[in-house]
Amino acid sequence: MWQSIRSLLFQTPCPLCQKPSKDQFCRDCTGQILSHRLPPHLRQWQGNFPRFVWGQYEGQLRRALTVMKFEQQPGIGLWLGEQLAEQWLQQPQAKFKILPQVVPIPLNNRKQAQRGFNQAERIAAGFCRLTRYPLHPQALQRPKDTQALFGLSPGDRQRELQSALVTGPGFNTHQPWLILDDIITTGTTALEAHRVMEQRGAKVMGIVAIATPSFSRPTELGQR
């Protein structure tokens, strides 16, 4: 009887459906999120700037990312980062002689102040907790307040991101880097981060992300 009472006392509402849960999500929502994992052949670690993506941006995975960002649920990011790490560590490319450093794609100061946290940094924290890779959340910064890139032409995206990203505290060229983001769509922001870091002499191995809405152009990040 005490175990039943104790179990109820330590349960919290699932942030997606409000059912009592002992974990980050209830069992049903966890299963629905995990159902959006991509099969191994779609994770695409290839090209000049390879990417590794955990899942398809739809259903409860999309909702989890939305709730994290707009309902102040940074704990979701830690959980997603751990799921990303578990899949990443099973891949051949995760076997390094020198551990890579991880930098999340930054938010500008205004947006981060409004949200209270950077969702990519929370995912990176969960990712690094399992992988034990060094995390440098300030190594990239975003002084320019850019507009949303969705819907812009490729040329407009590049112009919008011009001078938007700079290196910051923690940036170094001693070890290779992995860039981490929550959602990767066209890859324009990731490519700009890659360009800025390599221009400063760093080696960037690729980008890891939780979700992508489409794999219609699988080699896009390998193209300049």
Side-chain angles (χ1 to χ4, degrees):
M1 181 179 178
W2 166 243
Q3 285 296 107
S4 298
I5 295 173
R6 186 174 183 275
S7 178
L8 287 171
L9 287 174
F10 286 96
Q11 289 185 342
T12 56
C14 170
L16 301 187
C17 70
Q18 304 305 308
K19 293 177 184 175
S21 174
K22 294 181 287 185
D23 300 310
Q24 179 63 55
F25 301 104
C26 71
R27 184 179 299 178
D28 289 343
C29 288
T30 297
Q32 291 178 52
I33 292 170
L34 295 179
S35 73
H36 297 300
R37 283 178 296 187
L38 289 166
H41 72 279
L42 287 180
R43 292 179 187 145
Q44 296 181 20
W45 190 257
Q46 59 188 14
N48 297 329
F49 182 40
R51 63 175 175 173
F52 177 89
V53 184
W54 185 82
Q56 191 79 25
Y57 185 58
E58 61 185 16
Q60 284 295 71
L61 177 56
R62 179 173 182 166
R63 177 159 161 69
L65 287 162
T66 301
V67 168
M68 171 181 63
K69 289 191 284 188
F70 300 112
E71 297 183 21
Q72 288 72 52
Q73 294 277 354
I76 292 176
L78 292 171
W79 186 89
L80 289 171
E82 291 178 349
Q83 306 308 308
L84 178 62
E86 286 182 3
Q87 294 297 310
W88 167 258
L89 289 172
Q90 296 175 26
Q91 310 306 310
Q93 65 267 14
K95 296 174 173 60
F96 302 110
K97 292 181 179 178
I98 301 175
L99 292 184
Q101 306 169 100
V102 175
V103 59
I105 292 290
L107 295 177
N108 66 71
N109 291 337
R110 181 189 62 82
K111 186 171 288 186
Q112 183 153 337
Q114 286 179 343
R115 188 164 295 165
F117 63 96
N118 175 6
Q119 69 276 0
E121 189 276 328
R122 291 290 79 205
I123 294 168
F127 180 81
C128 290
R129 187 155 67 187
L130 260 64
T131 60
R132 301 194 179 277
Y133 297 167
L135 173 61
H136 296 281
Q138 301 298 318
L140 276 176
Q141 298 187 343
R142 196 172 195 150
K144 182 179 176 182
D145 189 357
T146 55
Q147 64 173 306
L149 301 183
F150 180 78
L152 297 181
S153 69
D156 287 341
R157 290 190 201 111
Q158 291 180 349
R159 282 187 287 273
E160 184 67 19
L161 282 171
Q162 188 173 5
S163 303
L165 300 176
V166 298
T167 56
F171 176 80
N172 65 77
T173 58
H174 307 315
Q175 296 168 243
W177 289 89
L178 277 176
I179 297 170
L180 188 146
D181 206 357
D182 58 339
I183 305 164
I184 188 164
T185 51
T186 65
T188 307
T189 306
L191 282 170
E192 178 63 12
H194 184 208
R195 186 193 67 78
V196 167
M197 296 178 76
E198 291 208 327
Q199 196 172 55
R200 292 288 308 276
K203 176 177 174 53
V204 181
M205 303 180 65
I207 182 167
V208 293
I210 282 293
T212 184
S214 173
F215 273 84
S216 60
R217 289 175 287 179
T219 61
E220 183 172 342
L221 292 187
Q223 299 173 350
R224 293 289 184 158

